């Protein structure tokens, strides 16, 4: 069977002071049916903008200017506005970063979920409310009948996130895009949300595109991983490929900076510098200015993604020329 979602050459631009800025620049992604693909990278790499581009929700004046987003054989970028509304929210649902700002503060949370259900299904209000109650039970909201009539400010951050998950699942989507689903939650609640997503994914068999910078969440949930840096995908592979045999210097830097792999009493390794702003992206490899293995070719040529194993690819000149080999990091497991 073909992949559920296949993204080829996705490019999203915003106006700049000079030339347009390519915030997402030729990205390729693939999500299989029933799998969890984690899209990881530092803040500012373009992960959330990639998700918004897939959903055709890029805020103006930005716009998608190239590529294909194939979902079940149809290019979402070619659909009319009406046709896209039939896909968005129904076949592909999204959980946004901040549950506190995603819910309308003056409408009861149950009514918001009921509205989402009735928008996509020809059911009565009472039927939608019964469905909402079932969803609240399913996502583990305590005392769900009372919570149907609660306002967002009366719920904790974790309960708000569960409401958002219930809303996203209300139309039984084939693909759920979860954008930083554990952001702004304390560690205990984060673990609960991760377990909830894990259970729901297994129970429903839906695919998840998980957007995060939390490698712990990636290790818990994902089947495959795509690593993004400055608008480009730099490495893709299975979870074991990435965590045990990372090939790209950026991926290796992310893993080495994980406290789990640190040696007690020694300084935690870090990637020097910060993600450059789009105005400062280099013509060649975008990681070149921070890469310890940078050489002349990196500054002038965009690296192609090359195979480094079965289903494992990395876009790096050093890897291509044999200057860096994929292999287990010290302390990895």
């Amino acid at each position: 069977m073909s992949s559920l979602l296949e993204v080829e050459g996705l490019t999203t631009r915003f106006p700049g002071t000079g030339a347009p800025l390519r915030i997402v620049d030729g990205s390729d992604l693939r999500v299989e049916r029933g799998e969890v693909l984690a899209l990881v990278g530092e803040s500012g790499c373009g992960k959330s903008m990639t998700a918004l581009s897939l959903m055709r929700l890029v805020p103006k004046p930005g716009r998608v200017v190239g590529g294909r987003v194939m979902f079940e054989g149809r290019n979402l970028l070619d659909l009319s506005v009406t046709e896209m509304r039939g896909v968005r929210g129904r076949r592909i649902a999204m959980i946004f970063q901040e549950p506190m700002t995603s819910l309308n503060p003056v409408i009861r949370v149950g009514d918001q979920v009921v509205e989402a259900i009735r928008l996509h299904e020809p059911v009565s209000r009472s039927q939608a409310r019964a469905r909402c109650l079932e969803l609240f039970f399913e996502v583990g909201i305590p005392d769900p009948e009372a919570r149907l009539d609660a306002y967002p400010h009366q719920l904790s951050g974790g309960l708000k996130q569960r409401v958002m998950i219930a809303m996203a699942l209300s139309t039984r989507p084939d693909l759920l895009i979860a954008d930083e689903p554990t952001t702004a939650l304390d560690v205990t609640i984060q673990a609960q949300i991760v377990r909830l997503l894990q259970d729901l994914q297994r129970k429903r068999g839906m695919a998840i595109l998980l957007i995060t910078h939390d490698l712990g969440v990636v290790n818990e949930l994902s089947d495959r991983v795509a690593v993004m840096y400055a608008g480009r995908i730099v490495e893709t592979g299975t979870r074991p490929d990435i965590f045990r045999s990372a090939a790209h210097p950026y991926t290796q830097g992310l893993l080495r900076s994980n406290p789990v792999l640190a040696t007690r009493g020694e300084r935690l390794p870090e990637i020097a510098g910060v993600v450059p702003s789009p105005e400062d992206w280099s013509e060649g490899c975008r990681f070149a200015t921070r890469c310890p293995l940078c050489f002349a070719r990196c500054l002038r040529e965009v690296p192609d993604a090359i195979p480094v194993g079965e289903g494992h690819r990395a876009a790096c000149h050093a890897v291509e020329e044999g200057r860096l080999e994929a292999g287990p990091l010290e302390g990895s497991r």
Side-chain angles (χ1 to χ4, degrees):
M1 296 178 67
S2 62
S3 301
L4 178 66
L5 178 73
E6 294 185 50
V7 180
E8 300 175 357
L10 183 65
T11 303
T12 301
R13 289 181 179 173
F14 279 77
T17 53
L21 306 176
R22 291 175 293 181
I23 305 302
V24 180
D25 192 10
S27 293
D28 296 339
L29 287 173
R30 172 174 53 85
V31 182
E32 302 293 346
R33 299 171 191 275
E35 79 164 353
V36 179
L37 173 69
L39 180 60
V40 305
E42 294 169 274
S43 296
C45 284
K47 305 186 300 298
S48 294
M49 193 55 63
T50 297
L52 293 174
S53 299
L54 300 180
M55 297 287 278
R56 287 178 50 180
L57 292 174
V58 176
K60 294 185 180 302
R63 62 191 184 98
V64 178
V65 297
R68 300 196 309 161
V69 179
M70 303 300 296
F71 180 72
E72 296 188 324
R74 291 195 299 172
N75 186 359
L76 300 185
L77 302 183
D78 290 339
L79 299 185
S80 67
V81 172
T82 301
E83 290 172 326
M84 189 62 201
R85 284 175 182 161
V87 174
R88 188 194 301 126
R90 183 174 179 83
R91 306 300 304 281
I92 305 176
M94 186 168 179
I95 306 170
F96 294 92
Q97 282 192 33
E98 296 288 346
M100 289 72 78
T101 57
S102 298
L103 292 168
N104 190 319
V106 298
I107 299 178
R108 300 177 195 274
V109 293
D111 290 339
Q112 296 187 52
V113 178
V114 165
E115 181 183 5
I117 294 171
R118 298 191 70 195
L119 182 65
H120 296 287
E121 296 183 13
V123 295
S124 66
R125 182 172 181 79
S126 61
Q127 289 173 320
R129 186 175 173 87
R131 171 74 179 137
C132 179
L133 182 60
E134 292 175 3
L135 288 164
F136 277 22
F137 269 112
E138 187 175 9
V139 300
I141 294 176
D143 195 6
E145 292 189 52
R147 296 290 161 72
L148 284 175
D149 296 319
Y151 288 96
H153 73 271
Q154 295 174 309
L155 303 180
S156 66
L159 287 180
K160 289 189 186 80
Q161 190 62 289
R162 289 174 188 268
V163 171
M164 293 304 302
I165 294 172
M167 187 181 299
L169 297 180
S170 64
T171 57
R172 304 174 182 85
D174 298 298
L175 173 64
L176 175 65
I177 300 176
D179 188 3
E180 300 282 7
T182 58
T183 293
L185 303 176
D186 65 46
V187 175
T188 302
I189 304 302
Q190 284 183 13
Q192 292 176 4
I193 296 299
V194 168
R195 285 196 298 270
L196 173 62
L197 288 173
Q198 198 169 45
D199 291 343
L200 290 170
Q201 191 271 335
R202 289 171 179 169
K203 176 181 175 181
R204 290 169 170 255
M206 65 183 174
I208 297 179
L209 174 58
L210 173 67
I211 298 171
T212 183
H213 59 263
D214 188 329
L215 294 177
V217 173
V218 173
N219 197 31
E220 286 286 332
L221 279 176
S222 69
D223 298 304
R224 290 191 305 112
V225 182
V227 182
M228 192 169 207
Y229 185 82
R232 292 177 179 159
I233 303 296
V234 298
E235 186 166 4
T236 56
T238 65
R239 176 167 47 88
D241 286 338
I242 300 301
F243 279 88
R244 297 176 187 171
S245 304
H248 197 282
Y250 177 62
T251 310
Q252 292 188 354
L254 288 178
L255 293 171
R256 289 194 179 100
S257 64
N258 187 344
V260 173
L261 302 181
T263 301
R264 183 180 292 275
E266 294 185 4
R267 183 181 177 86
L268 186 67
E270 62 182 3
I271 302 174
V274 297
V275 180
S277 64
E279 293 92 341
D280 300 324
W281 286 349
S282 62
E283 290 299 317
C285 175
R286 301 237 167 110
F287 188 58
T289 56
R290 303 173 69 190
C291 181
L293 298 174
C294 176
F295 55 102
R297 184 184 176 192
C298 302
L299 297 172
R300 65 174 185 268
E301 293 182 27
V302 177
D304 293 324
I306 61 169
V308 292
E310 185 176 353
H312 185 188
R313 302 175 69 85
C316 176
H317 293 309
V319 172
E320 182 182 358
E321 296 190 9
R323 304 187 185 207
L324 177 67
E325 294 183 359
L329 299 178
E330 184 178 351
S332 64
R333 56 173 186 254

